[in-house]
Structures are given as structure tokens and as C-alpha cells.
Amino acid sequence: MSAYIIRRMLYAIPILIGINLITFILFFVVNSPDDMALMQLGSKHTTELQIEDWKRERGYHLPLLYNTEQSGLGAVTETIFYQKSAKLFVFDFGSSDSGRDIGYDISQRMWPSLALAIPTLLVGLLVTITLALTIAFFRGTYIDYWAVIICVALISISSLFYIIGGQFLIGKLLKIVPISGFDTGLHALKFMILPVLIGIVGGIGSNTRWYRTIFLEEINKDYVRTARSKGLSEQVVLFKHVLRNALIPILTGVVVVLPLLFMGSLLTENFFGIPGLGSYTIDAINRQDFAIVRAMVFLGSVLYIIGLVLTDISYTLVDPRIRLS
Amino acid sequence: MTVRKISLALCCTGLFTFLVACSDQELNNPYRDNDSARSIIYSSFSERPKELDPVKSYNAGEYEFIAQIYEPPLQYHFLKRPYELVPLAAAKMPEKQFFDAQGAHLAEDVDPKQVAYTEYTVTIQSDISYQPHPAFSKDEAGEFRYHQLTATDLERINKLADFEMVASRILTAEDYVYQIKRLAHPNLHSPLAGLLSNYIQGFKDFRIDVLTQLDPQKSWLDLRQIAMTGVEVLDQQRYRIRVKGVYPQFIYWLSMPFFAPIPWEADRFYAQQGMAERNISFDWYPVGTGPYMLTENNPNLRMVLSKNPNFHGELYPTEGEPSDLDNGLLADAGKPLPFVDRIEFSLEKESIPYWNKFLQGYYDTSGISSDSFDQSVELNSRGEFGLSDEMIERDIKLSSAVATSLYYLGFNMLDPVIGGDTERARLLRRAISIAVDYDEFISIFRNGRGEPAQGPIPPGIFGFEEGQAGINPYVYDWQKDALKRKSIEQAKQLLSAAGYANGIDQKSGKPLILYFDTVSRGADSKALLNWMVKQFAKLDIQLVIRTTDGNRFMDKLDKGTFQIYQLGWNADYPDPENFFFLLYGPNSMALSKGQNYSNYQNPEYDQLFDKMKAMENSPQRLRIIQEMNAIVRADAPWVWSFYPKQYSLNHTWYKNVKPNLMANNTFKYRRVDAAKRAQMRKEWNDAVLWPVYVLFVVLLLSIVPAVISYRKRELARGL
């Protein structure tokens, strides 16, 4: 397995370089270093000299991808792309264009993102799997029929509606929890109830329907029929046999998103004022802070690759027939 | 089994109800402590302040914090209108003296052309001290405790509060001079550096001197050791600034945080290696003498200003406008400031949650966004805006003020069709000025929150004239004591006279097509752009909308590749020069990359501008302003769009609120009736729990048929 993991990590390097290059090109197609300088310095009373100074200080005076004034390796290394991207591969995120330490910011802001994402994921899984198993148990009945209709209806509703509706109903009308905000430590609990609840409700429709399909596929297999013929109760059949065998596709969906939980939820974080990494990224895009955008895209890509590797590893854990080679 | 589960669920519900009943705090209270007895202002910020260093900070969101911390020499009087400068840290208003090129003193009423430079002597108060800060702390030997920190010392340091010892010292004139030198420092990128280099003597040379003395091996350069010819410390309390020629507007800059004092000790302290990596800098921890100091800086969550224990004291103003007495704004006259112990700013990115929390009493004041306008404000029978019944019921107060800002639709005067000094182009621009109905725009798109602009100067600025005297005669008539926009027929006549009858160019026989460049704001701006197209269509002119992103838009303005654009300007200071310079020829974008984006040139206007700029407010200056207004109204390089009107809502417990669009340091005047707030919050935020119980019961009941069905199945299989 170690050889497999090392090989996958090596494969990741060209992928990350490619992602960096694409991010770089997309960013600089829309923003020039002059625009970035103006954004940081402000457009009122700013002179050309100040813009030049700002660019020089941060290395944005160099050519983007190829330096014609340099020869040999310097033609590639003396460019914005190389200077800004090389350090990322040793996870040195450097400073943002406004001068803040990106690594420090990430270390501070990943906790609120996790505080929101982990309970949403775990409780959401528990709820949706239970619901899906219940629906599978009542397959072909009116419960199954209405459950599918409700799931489709829930899928059709925009996540923004859940957020605004949830804030209106629970925060404004019922006044049970704060409408928005965040705090540290245990004080964060009361702020997390509503966004987590909204996250769970928002995911019920799609996840329940998906898991139901998986369970139904399993429930008709021979080993289930055998289990039943042995006289096992339906509860044991579902929870011990069906659930265990249905775990592979569920794991595929869950494990791959685990590392991405760090990256936060953009919409929820914005509406609830949760200072996570999702809002950090969007703020950076609005401020044209390339250093942060680049760091966050890189981090997201690395985490996604880790997620894929973890998924592969998890296959071997839940299904001994699978071997990584 | 099932009975056990139901019992457990009921126990949980009982426990929840018990906990709720025991809690004396509202369940939806977003604040940590029970603050019913505390004098705290609750406000918000929507994004992390970009800069808190007064050398760089230059926007309202940042000034909301640093203007409470730093004290420049002057400030705007809180109550008086028109806006009036008064001393803040200064003991008195700066003394101004004119000198000729030989250094001879000139009389005050001398011709500005004879003046080579002006000297401002600022005298500061002698009893002002800085807030407690580790940079001032000294050891027993009298050496600064934290000025020679090593990497080992910094190992246990992550934030400013990790430094155990703090101290203070008296404010001196040198601190103001030090900050002016920082403004010129090339590595600090002050947005004002370019402008000041044109005015303060020796500013440019100082930049060069700093560049030559900068040593990459040393983390700090002592700016006290480098002289700037235009700035001089006279003694402990006095310093002098020498400004080239006559620049009366300079005094307004002295009220901005750019000119606040910076102690060299703090600069030395923050410049040490390892500090910036820990975000220990001026940008994170301001050091001031003002009524408040930043005691919590977590821009991802909350920023807190607390009373500065070393604040020198200031009294609430005893004078104001006549209406201030009736409005209760002089009830605290002569009382010591500040009234409030703490100001808490919470991160609130979206307007809807903010608005709802304001209605619940968790914020003391709120602006009125378009989302909440209908809920908060109603048009009464007299056509005036008043509070809605819901707001009146909550005893919320409305305050409004016309901003010292202007929006305009600009023409590129270098464009061969719409620009230029020909009568044909002038008539075309005037016709468009009539056709683009900004009265309608204000009504549709701004819910009436604005006044149609008549020229470059907004209300509240010297030179603005009310009533008939102030109208733009090319667009409006004065009828029955009110503005009346000229008819579209008159616009068509002008268009015809310009040679574009029915929107057809009489010379070429081709339809007149104009291009409007604007920043794309997604689907939201579609209605607005459609409206704009319809305005031009009234004259049978085809308007092509060219939407782009902000950067490309600025690029087009820079290169002059546009015909029509829309922009706005917010006053830096309450002087007409700050608006007229936007049309000053030498300030054109094409010539000097200035802010005259229309590239308007009129020698007569420029001459008058030079004259007006150097004058103090006087009847003579007003006459020149009137002449300048007449010129630009006739030339119509802009369609004067509107002056925005700002509305704000305040809870009844939030006292001493008077919009002051120039001053940023107004938190010290605010007073909060904390007991009243606590009472209202309790009244408004009684949790409604019965729907939760109902939902719970419904869920339980819905499980019952499922359980029965399950049991039936199990039993059926058993048989």
C-alpha cells in the first residue's frame, strides 16, 4: 500500500502544477498587477510611482510566465508564476498582498469551518442513512412513495432559501437561537445550532434519495434473501448486512469530501458571519489578493487529492477483496 | 424498547424546557456576557479592515476604528453646520503665515501669486498621554524593555497582550512630525504621498533621502534623524509645516488620521524582526491617545474598542444648530466624554441578518438597505418619508442627511461625437442631460433617497445654493417654488439644432449610436441598464451598453476608449475645490492620470479654479464658484445625476445621534441607555417554543404507524 500511496503522491505533482498554472492564467486574464496595486493602495490620489513601488516590493514587477530579459533557467524562474508558486509545494503560503501571514490566517480560520462542517456531516449522515434505511424497509408502500416526493421537493429548493428561511423562522420568529454570529470555545455552540440544522435539512433530500437507491440495490441481492431465509429479523438484515455492503458507495461520497471540510462553506459562512475559510477565499477574490487565492486553490487541490487517496484506502478497509496495487 | 425511547425523548424535552426556563438571558442573544447594566455600543463590520495604520488607511470602514483611537490636531465640530473645524489634540487652531520667495512675511490679504509658501504652526495640548503600550515600557535601568527582542524572546509571543509590561508617555509635537515623515516613507505606500509631495516642502527630497539610507540589514530606520525641510519641531508642544504657495484646503487634511501622531518608540518596537510575522504591527495594534483603544482585534469575529484609561478628557459641545436643543442633542452639553465604556463590532457580512438583529435590539443603529426600505419607511400624504408603523411601534428614530457626495454621468470630451468644444456637441450633451431623467431614477432605483444634482457641489459644501439660485437652467425650470425638468420636446429641439434630428446624423444620414461603458453587476443591474437605454431612446438615440469588470472599466477610462460612463465622488473635505478639481483641465486623465476622467478642458474654468482654490470662503469666492458652475452647466461635460441621501434608524436608547458626514470620531459623543435596551430586548425576544414541542410530538406520532407496520411485518414473517 505504501508504494501505491507514494505513487499517487508523485502523480499529484504535475496535477498541482497544472492547477496552479490554470489558476494563475485565469486570475491574470482578469486582473493585472496594476489593478491589484490599485486595489490595495486605493485609487484616490495614487500615483504611478506608488504603483510601481508596490509591485516591485511584492515581486509583481516581473513578467508573468517568461522573462525575455533573462537567459537560461532565469527566463522561467524570474517570473511571477515561478516566484509565487514554487514555495507552495513546501506549504509556505507566504504573506497576502496586504501583508498578512496566510498560514496563520488559515490556521485560525479552519476551526470555524470545521466546527460547522463536521457536525453537519456526521449528524447529516446519521439522519440520512437512518431515513434511507427506513424508506428502504417500507419500499413500495405509500411511505416510500411520499418520501421520494418529499426528497425531490427538498432537492429542488435552493440552499439560499434554506438559509434565509431558517434564519427567519428559527432566529426571527421563534427567537430560539441567534440569527447569525460566531464565538470561540463552547460559546460557539448556540451559533452552530442553526447553520448545522440548515446544513442537515438542506442535505436530506439528495443524500436520502441517493442512499435509498444504494440500499434498494443491495436489498434485492442473493445474500439478503439468504439472510432472511435464515430467519434473521429485518432489523438485523438491514443494519448488519445491507448497511455494511452498501458502505462502499457511501464511503466514496463521504471520504472524498472529508479533507475538503477544511475549505468551508461559502454561502453559510457568509450569511451566518462564520469566519471560516470559505469566506476567506471569497474575500480574497473580491480584494484581488492573488496570494490568498493561489494558496487556497492549492490547498483545496491538495486536500482533494488526499481525499481521493483516502477513498481508495477506505475501500480496502470495508471490502477485503479490494487490494491496492 | 419503544416506550423507553419515547420516555428518553420526553426527558430530553423536559430538560431543554427546564434549561430554557432557568436562563435569564434571551436565547437568541448573540453576545456572550449579560450586559444589561453595561454601557456598550453594538455595531458591526462587513469585512476585515484592510489597514489600521493611519499612514495607509483611507476608507470609511477603517476610519470607524482608527478615528476613535488616533487624534489628529483638528476635528469637525459635532453639531455645527456648515461643517466647522475645531481643535482636537491642538490647543488652538493652527496659525497661518504667508511668505514670499525671499522668506519675507506677507500680509493675510496678499495676492496669492506673491506667496511662495505658507507656514502652519500647530500647538498641541500639553496634558495628553498615549494609551498603555509595551513599546513605552522601560526597565529599572531606564532602557526600553522590548526594543531589543531576540528570536528567543519572541518564541512565547503571539499577540501584543503577551507582553507583560505596558507604559505610556506624554504626547509631543515630535510625534506629529514623525508621522508626516512616515507619510513620505517610500516603503509605507501612503495613498496621500503623491498629493502631499506637491504641497509640503521637502517631501519629495525626504523620500529620496530615505531611499538612500535604507539598509536591508537594519529593520528600523529612525526617521527623526532625517530632516524634512517643510516640517519642523519648534518645541515640545509646537511644530510647523511649510506648504508650497497657498493651499487653504491643507487645514482639512489636519483633521484626518493621516496627520495623527505616531510615537517613534512604537515604530521601533513594531519594526523588530519577527513582529510582522506575528501580525504585531501598527496595522494590527494601533497606538493612540484618543478616547478608545483597540482591546480585541479579531477581524474574523469581533473587534472591540474599550475606554482608554489615559484619555486626556474632552467635553461634549455646548453649541450647535438651533434645532439641536429641541432634538435633545444638547442635553449632555459640557459633560465629559466618552459616555460609553466599550464599542463592540461584530462581523456581519450580509444585510438581512444585520437588519433582523437590529429589529431584535442587538444592534443599536442601522442603515436602510433596499431590502428593508419598504418595511421601515413610508411615504406620507405630504410626499415626505416617515417611519412605518412597525418602526414607530418599536420607538425607532429616523435620521437623514444629504451626503457630501455626487453621482454623475460623464462624457468623454476627447470623443469626436459626444465630446469637444463645438456647439454641436454641446447641444447634444445638453439634450441628453434633459432626457436622462434622474428624478425618475431616484424614485425608481433609490426609493427616493437622493436629490437631483444641479452642479458639481453637493449640499453642505460652501458654494451650494438652494432654490432658484442654484438650479441648472439647461435642465430645469423653476416653477411654483419647485424644480421642473424641461420637457423632452425641448431636448429634441436641442438635438435637432445639433444636427441629429430624430436621432439621425444629418451629415451622414446614419442613426446616432452612443456607447455607455459600465461595470457589470450581474442580473441586478439589468433593470437599471434598460432604463438607461430607454432614456436615450426618448431622443431616438441608440445606446449600446458595454458592460465590463471593474479593472477593464478603469482601463478604458485610463486610455480614453469610451464615450459615456457613470461615476461618483465622495468629499474628502467640505470645500468646493474637492469637487471642482474633478473637472480641472490639468487634472485630466489623458494629461496627468488625474481624476478628471471626462478630460474636460476649459481655460476660463481652469483660471477661475486656480483663483478660487487659493481663497478662503467669502462672497467673492462664492461669485467665482457661481461663474464656474455656470461654465460647466453650459458645457455639460457631465449629466449631474444626484446627491445621495442617507437614512439611518436608531433605537430609542441610542442617544446623541446627528449625522456628521465629515467626522469619523463620533462614537465618543454617543450615549446608551443600557437599562432601557435590556428591557426592550427582553420584551422583543421572548422565545416561542411551542412550535418545537408540536414538531416533536408530530415526529413522535409519525413514528407510531411506522413501528406498528414494522411489528406487523415482523410478526407476519414469523407466522
Side-chain angles (χ1 to χ4, degrees):
Chain A
M1 192 192 282
S2 311
Y4 173 81
I5 293 170
I6 291 167
R7 197 164 64 244
R8 285 293 298 266
M9 288 296 140
L10 290 175
Y11 287 161
I13 293 171
I15 295 172
L16 289 172
I17 292 173
I19 289 168
N20 249 308
L21 188 64
I22 292 168
T23 314
F24 182 84
I25 291 168
L26 287 176
F27 188 90
F28 282 100
V29 161
V30 183
N31 311 290
S32 69
D34 280 32
D35 300 331
M36 294 161 66
L38 269 177
M39 184 60 95
Q40 295 298 328
L41 298 172
S43 54
K44 266 187 168 183
H45 309 298
T46 304
T47 61
E48 293 280 308
L49 180 67
Q50 285 175 294
I51 292 171
E52 284 309 313
D53 282 349
W54 185 92
K55 285 177 0 191
R56 189 165 295 280
E57 209 171 79
R58 285 163 177 76
Y60 287 113
H61 64 295
L62 294 170
L64 291 176
L65 287 164
Y66 191 79
N67 194 338
T68 51
E69 289 172 9
Q70 299 282 331
S71 57
L73 206 58
V76 179
T77 56
E78 290 301 308
T79 59
I80 297 178
F81 178 68
Y82 182 84
Q83 299 283 332
K84 302 287 176 189
S85 303
K87 285 182 182 169
L88 287 178
F89 286 87
V90 287
F91 292 93
D92 178 358
F93 298 120
S95 297
S96 70
D97 290 334
S98 58
R100 315 240 192 208
D101 182 356
I102 296 174
Y104 175 81
D105 277 350
I106 290 174
S107 70
Q108 294 292 302
R109 299 186 72 140
M110 66 183 219
W111 300 112
S113 289
L114 286 174
L116 172 65
I118 290 177
T120 308
L121 179 81
L122 294 181
V123 182
L125 267 179
L126 190 73
V127 170
T128 47
I129 288 177
T130 310
L131 280 174
L133 274 173
T134 311
I135 296 166
F137 177 79
F138 292 107
R139 60 198 173 276
T141 65
Y142 73 97
I143 293 176
D144 183 22
Y145 177 76
W146 280 106
V148 172
I149 289 177
I150 291 167
C151 283
V152 171
L154 289 173
I155 294 168
S156 312
I157 297 169
S158 146
S159 54
L160 191 62
F161 179 86
Y162 285 115
I163 293 171
I164 295 175
Q167 284 184 331
F168 179 78
L169 180 71
I170 299 173
K172 191 179 177 188
L173 289 186
L174 304 185
K175 298 158 195 159
I176 297 172
V177 290
I179 290 174
S180 66
F182 190 72
D183 210 333
T184 49
L186 282 176
H187 297 284
L189 268 177
K190 66 176 173 185
F191 295 101
M192 286 290 107
I193 294 170
L194 187 55
V196 167
L197 186 69
I198 288 171
I200 293 166
V201 174
I204 281 179
S206 54
N207 288 341
T208 306
R209 197 163 164 269
W210 181 35
Y211 296 157
R212 171 190 167 273
T213 313
I214 295 167
F215 292 138
L216 286 182
E217 204 178 308
E218 288 295 322
I219 230 161
N220 292 319
K221 287 189 175 167
D222 289 345
Y223 73 90
V224 178
R225 199 172 300 122
T226 310
R228 285 202 187 106
S229 65
K230 282 198 299 185
L232 294 178
S233 72
E234 192 67 8
Q235 198 176 343
V236 174
V237 170
L238 282 177
F239 283 92
K240 277 205 167 169
H241 295 268
V242 174
L243 178 60
R244 201 168 173 183
N245 284 288
L247 268 181
I248 292 181
I250 293 175
L251 273 176
T252 316
V254 172
V255 180
V256 80
V257 299
L258 276 181
L260 292 176
L261 297 181
F262 287 93
M263 303 302 287
S265 160
L266 166 69
L267 215 55
T268 312
E269 285 180 9
N270 250 13
F271 266 83
F272 286 95
I274 297 168
L277 288 175
S279 54
Y280 184 55
T281 312
I282 276 296
D283 287 348
I285 292 169
N286 290 335
R287 287 179 175 192
Q288 299 180 9
D289 196 323
F290 175 64
I292 296 176
V293 174
R294 179 194 64 217
M296 292 309 293
V297 171
F298 182 83
L299 189 64
S301 314
V302 170
L303 291 173
Y304 191 68
I305 290 167
I306 292 172
L308 291 175
V309 175
L310 284 178
T311 311
D312 289 350
I313 295 168
S314 65
Y315 283 159
T316 63
L317 298 177
V318 293
D319 189 348
R321 290 171 301 176
I322 298 173
R323 289 281 176 271
L324 299 178
S325 60
Chain B
M1 182 79 172
T2 312
V3 174
R4 274 217 317 266
K5 280 180 184 170
I6 291 171
S7 308
L8 184 69
L10 286 173
C11 284
C12 288
T13 315
L15 185 67
F16 175 68
T17 313
F18 176 73
L19 288 174
V20 169
C22 287
S23 167
D24 63 340
Q25 201 183 31
E26 300 76 38
L27 285 179
N28 61 352
N29 190 340
Y31 304 115
R32 191 181 284 194
D33 301 318
N34 189 340
D35 55 19
S36 56
R38 299 188 66 188
S39 182
I40 301 174
I41 290 175
Y42 291 103
S43 187
S44 77
F45 62 104
S46 60
E47 62 174 30
R48 180 165 73 177
K50 205 164 61 179
E51 305 284 354
L52 291 179
D53 186 341
V55 86
K56 289 187 266 191
S57 177
Y58 198 16
N59 77 48
E62 293 156 7
Y63 279 6
E64 194 160 28
F65 299 101
I66 64 168
Q68 326 308 323
I69 299 165
Y70 288 107
E71 290 190 308
L74 305 177
Q75 65 178 337
Y76 288 96
H77 194 283
F78 177 49
L79 298 174
K80 285 185 183 174
R81 302 291 182 277
Y83 295 105
E84 184 184 318
L85 282 175
V86 292
L88 176 57
K92 56 184 180 179
M93 290 301 284
E95 291 161 23
K96 185 174 70 176
Q97 287 183 310
F98 297 127
F99 294 90
D100 65 13
Q102 283 71 47
H105 181 246
L106 299 170
E108 265 192 44
D109 56 351
V110 71
D111 180 359
K113 284 177 189 163
Q114 292 179 32
V115 178
Y117 60 90
T118 311
E119 278 187 357
Y120 290 89
T121 305
V122 183
T123 307
I124 56 161
Q125 296 172 44
S126 58
D127 57 345
I128 298 178
S129 296
Y130 282 99
Q131 65 181 74
H133 194 278
F136 301 119
S137 176
K138 290 182 178 174
D139 58 19
E140 292 73 21
E143 297 294 319
F144 285 103
R145 200 184 299 269
Y146 301 122
H147 282 204
Q148 303 288 340
L149 295 170
T150 61
T152 321
D153 295 332
L154 284 172
E155 270 174 10
R156 57 185 179 79
I157 302 291
N158 288 306
K159 52 188 186 299
L160 196 70
D162 292 336
F163 292 96
E164 287 170 10
M165 306 301 286
V166 290
S168 176
R169 79 150 163 85
I170 294 283
L171 173 77
T172 64
E174 174 128 53
D175 302 333
Y176 286 92
V177 171
Y178 196 85
Q179 167 69 353
I180 295 172
K181 290 177 178 176
R182 289 183 82 233
L183 291 170
H185 196 302
N187 287 358
L188 291 178
H189 306 295
S190 173
L192 217 58
L195 181 109
L196 292 180
S197 64
N198 296 327
Y199 291 108
I200 296 181
Q201 272 194 0
F203 199 89
K204 275 182 192 162
D205 296 337
F206 183 84
R207 285 172 73 86
I208 296 162
D209 290 347
V210 169
L211 277 174
T212 53
Q213 294 193 34
L214 273 175
D215 181 355
Q217 303 302 318
K218 290 181 181 170
S219 60
W220 181 61
L221 178 65
D222 188 352
L223 300 180
R224 291 173 301 166
Q225 308 306 324
I226 308 171
M228 186 188 284
T229 53
V231 190
E232 189 184 355
V233 177
L234 300 177
D235 55 40
Q236 182 96 343
Q237 259 77 55
R238 293 187 309 141
Y239 67 100
R240 182 183 291 154
I241 307 171
R242 192 175 288 177
V243 173
K244 294 174 199 166
V246 178
Y247 182 37
Q249 293 76 29
F250 180 74
I251 201 160
Y252 293 114
W253 291 110
L254 295 180
S255 70
M256 295 180 78
F258 288 117
F259 284 86
I262 288 291
W264 71 267
E265 295 93 332
D267 196 31
R268 171 80 187 83
F269 173 79
Y270 286 138
Q272 294 175 92
Q273 278 193 345
M275 292 295 219
E277 287 78 0
R278 289 166 172 79
N279 286 331
I280 300 177
S281 64
F282 278 117
D283 195 18
W284 207 262
Y285 300 105
V287 191
T289 59
Y292 293 100
M293 52 188 202
L294 193 62
T295 46
E296 186 177 343
N297 183 1
N298 183 352
N300 302 330
L301 177 63
R302 183 173 48 231
M303 296 181 74
V304 177
L305 293 171
S306 303
K307 246 183 186 174
N308 173 7
N310 298 342
F311 183 53
H312 54 93
E314 193 184 341
L315 301 178
Y316 190 92
T318 50
E319 295 172 295
E321 290 185 293
S323 59
D324 292 339
L325 196 61
D326 301 333
N327 294 335
L329 286 165
L330 286 168
D332 289 318
K335 289 183 184 169
L337 301 174
F339 295 117
V340 170
D341 296 334
R342 187 176 149 99
I343 308 162
E344 200 169 310
F345 300 86
S346 305
L347 179 70
E348 199 74 72
K349 283 178 163 294
E350 299 290 335
S351 62
I352 296 174
Y354 183 95
W355 171 247
N356 287 327
K357 280 159 91 171
F358 168 72
L359 291 180
Q360 292 177 335
Y362 295 123
Y363 287 121
D364 300 316
T365 182
S366 170
I368 306 180
S369 69
S370 48
D371 295 325
S372 55
F373 193 84
D374 292 339
Q375 193 186 347
S376 51
V377 177
E378 287 174 355
L379 204 61
N380 64 23
S381 53
R382 296 189 303 277
E384 295 163 350
F385 283 108
L387 286 167
S388 66
D389 292 342
E390 187 187 346
M391 299 300 116
I392 293 169
E393 208 172 282
R394 286 171 184 262
D395 209 6
I396 287 170
K397 312 288 179 206
L398 175 72
S399 65
S400 68
V402 179
T404 47
S405 310
L406 166 75
Y407 283 89
Y408 59 90
L409 189 74
F411 302 111
N412 182 4
M413 297 299 279
L414 299 178
D415 183 79
V417 179
I418 200 85
D421 193 30
T422 62
E423 190 60 14
R424 177 180 160 90
R426 197 174 290 119
L427 290 172
L428 172 61
R429 293 195 296 268
R430 284 187 202 159
I432 293 170
S433 300
I434 296 170
V436 183
D437 188 349
Y438 272 100
D439 302 72
E440 187 181 270
F441 177 92
I442 293 165
S443 165
I444 297 173
F445 295 103
R446 294 192 56 86
N447 302 99
R449 287 172 295 170
E451 286 186 8
Q454 305 298 314
I457 306 176
I461 306 278
F462 181 79
F464 175 81
E465 292 181 287
E466 300 258 10
Q468 190 172 9
I471 71 163
N472 178 1
Y474 299 97
V475 179
Y476 287 94
D477 293 317
W478 187 255
Q479 289 180 3
K480 295 179 185 167
D481 287 338
L483 284 172
K484 178 153 175 60
R485 183 173 279 274
K486 288 184 189 292
S487 68
I488 199 69
E489 280 67 35
Q490 285 169 286
K492 282 182 175 173
Q493 282 169 16
L494 291 173
L495 194 69
S496 189
Y500 296 105
N502 301 317
I504 305 291
D505 184 349
Q506 305 301 306
K507 282 184 187 168
S508 64
K510 290 181 180 170
L512 178 59
I513 301 172
L514 296 176
Y515 296 89
F516 177 53
D517 284 283
T518 183
V519 178
S520 169
R521 302 200 191 282
D524 293 348
S525 60
K526 197 166 169 40
L528 196 148
L529 296 176
N530 284 341
W531 176 86
M532 189 63 85
V533 170
K534 281 179 188 164
Q535 304 306 301
F536 281 76
K538 289 181 203 166
L539 298 175
D540 298 316
I541 297 173
Q542 294 177 40
L543 185 74
V544 177
I545 306 285
R546 294 195 296 204
T547 54
T548 181
D549 62 89
N551 294 332
R552 296 288 78 73
F553 174 72
M554 291 310 291
D555 198 41
K556 283 182 174 184
L557 293 187
D558 190 3
K559 291 179 179 151
T561 53
F562 66 96
Q563 277 189 322
I564 305 170
Y565 67 102
Q566 192 167 27
L567 274 182
W569 183 258
N570 198 18
D572 289 308
Y573 43 79
D575 191 274
E577 180 267 352
N578 197 231
F579 285 89
F580 279 129
F581 94 109
L582 296 169
L583 290 166
Y584 182 54
N587 189 38
S588 82
M589 177 56 100
L591 273 181
S592 62
K593 303 282 179 204
Q595 273 121 340
N596 175 0
Y597 296 112
S598 284
N599 300 304
Y600 175 65
Q601 299 269 356
N602 184 316
E604 194 189 346
Y605 174 89
D606 292 348
Q607 217 171 12
L608 288 168
F609 176 83
D610 289 333
K611 209 169 167 185
M612 180 276 300
K613 183 184 164 187
M615 293 171 79
E616 299 287 345
N617 290 342
S618 63
Q620 196 194 350
R621 194 180 195 213
L622 181 62
R623 274 197 297 279
I624 294 174
I625 290 169
Q626 285 166 339
E627 279 181 61
M628 294 174 75
N629 266 330
I631 292 170
V632 290
R633 281 168 182 159
D635 282 347
W638 294 350
V639 176
W640 322 102
S641 307
F642 63 95
Y643 310 123
K645 205 169 182 183
Q646 293 178 350
Y647 284 90
S648 74
L649 299 169
N650 307 293
H651 282 297
T652 183
W653 59 74
Y654 196 52
K655 312 284 186 188
N656 299 336
V657 180
K658 179 173 182 177
N660 187 325
L661 303 165
M662 283 294 133
N664 296 295
N665 59 345
T666 52
F667 275 115
K668 63 186 172 189
Y669 303 110
R670 306 274 189 256
R671 191 162 52 78
V672 167
D673 182 347
K676 175 87 175 169
R677 176 168 62 193
Q679 179 203 331
M680 300 307 279
R681 277 185 184 173
K682 214 158 188 62
E683 209 172 285
W684 294 340
N685 295 293
D686 202 8
V688 184
L689 292 169
W690 65 263
V692 180
Y693 303 138
V694 170
L695 182 72
F696 198 73
V697 171
V698 168
L699 278 176
L700 280 179
L701 290 177
S702 66
I703 291 169
V704 174
V707 172
I708 294 168
S709 174
Y710 171 77
R711 282 183 170 271
K712 265 186 185 174
R713 277 197 185 197
E714 289 291 289
L715 288 172
R717 215 183 307 278
L719 290 169

